[in-house]
Amino acid sequence: MAKGEIYIKSAEEIRLLREGGKILYEILHKTAGKVRAGVSTGELNEYAEMLLAGRGVRGAFKGYHAFPAALCTSVNEACVHGIPSFDFILKEGDIIGLDFGVVYEGLITDSAITVAVGQVSSDLQHLMRTTKQALQEGIKEARVGNRVGAISAAVQKIVERQGYHCVRDLIGHGVGYEVHEAPEVHNVGKKSDGPELREGMVIAIEPITTIGDWKVRTLKDNWTVVTADGSMSAHYEHSVAITKEGPVVLTGE
Ligand code: MG
Ligand code: MG
């Protein structure tokens, strides 16, 4: 298939993606349950990898462009792609983004949540709540006949009306056969932007937000993307199928 082509999934493939998405949900939320002060991000990854092995499925991220872990762990000002480490110990008041992908029957789903470490500030709770709401409003626009930009516009509106920003350099994407497929799903844009959504498209919608400026930089580990101004960042993501009946969240419970 040509680069940039949007791969349409069959009803059977969407059914398998949903099964894989349920496994993803279970492992991601069990792993989130281990988040507490004193735990290392390496231990969280180790736990997620153990659960993957227990289910007999593979993580989608380990080995992807040589990423060394199944789980991405992005703490505080880290937006995405944080590498788990046994030396990185979580502290009370941190927030951690857990981004996770599962390969099931050859098909990939992708989802992320942000988790509070113990009691976090009300500002951070509000950022997390707003980002989660932006994801939910974006999902509502994932309908046949809308353009991808309807999702972008909905996400941007929710985030910016609370005074936060969406990271512009980090975007959602088609998913299924590959971790990243067409189309790009921007978190900022107009309803008229991008290709039209068609039945059988599967996309990962993932607002990545900041309290401060939206500009980011990559750390020397060549993976971890952090806010340039050091402000806090949150991230929520679901893989969603576009169907005649409306959006179907593949990575939910
Ligand atoms: Mg992800
Ligand atoms: Mg993604």
Side-chain angles (χ1 to χ4, degrees), residues 2 10 46 63 69 91 133 144 153 174 184 198 232-233 241 247 251:
S10 68
E46 191 175 57
K91 304 183 307 297
Q133 192 197 351
V144 174
E184 295 183 342
R198 286 178 285 139
M232 296 290 168
S233 178
T251 44

Side-chain angles (χ1 to χ4, degrees), residues 110 173 180 204 206 237:
D110 183 9
H173 48 90
H180 295 115
E206 51 180 319
E237 176 180 24

Side-chain angles (χ1 to χ4, degrees), residues 53 100 109 149 159 171 173 195 202 225 229 251:
F100 192 49
T109 46
V159 170
I171 58 177
H173 48 90
V202 175
V225 178
D229 64 5
T251 44

Side-chain angles (χ1 to χ4, degrees), residues 159-175:
V159 170
E160 292 187 355
R161 104 178 153 197
Q162 299 297 337
Y164 303 131
H165 291 97
C166 295
V167 174
R168 311 241 165 148
D169 301 350
L170 299 168
I171 58 177
H173 48 90
V175 68

Side-chain angles (χ1 to χ4, degrees), residues 36-52:
R36 57 178 58 82
V39 167
S40 73
T41 56
E43 286 170 282
L44 295 175
N45 177 67
E46 191 175 57
Y47 183 67
E49 291 197 6
M50 186 193 78
L51 295 175
L52 280 169

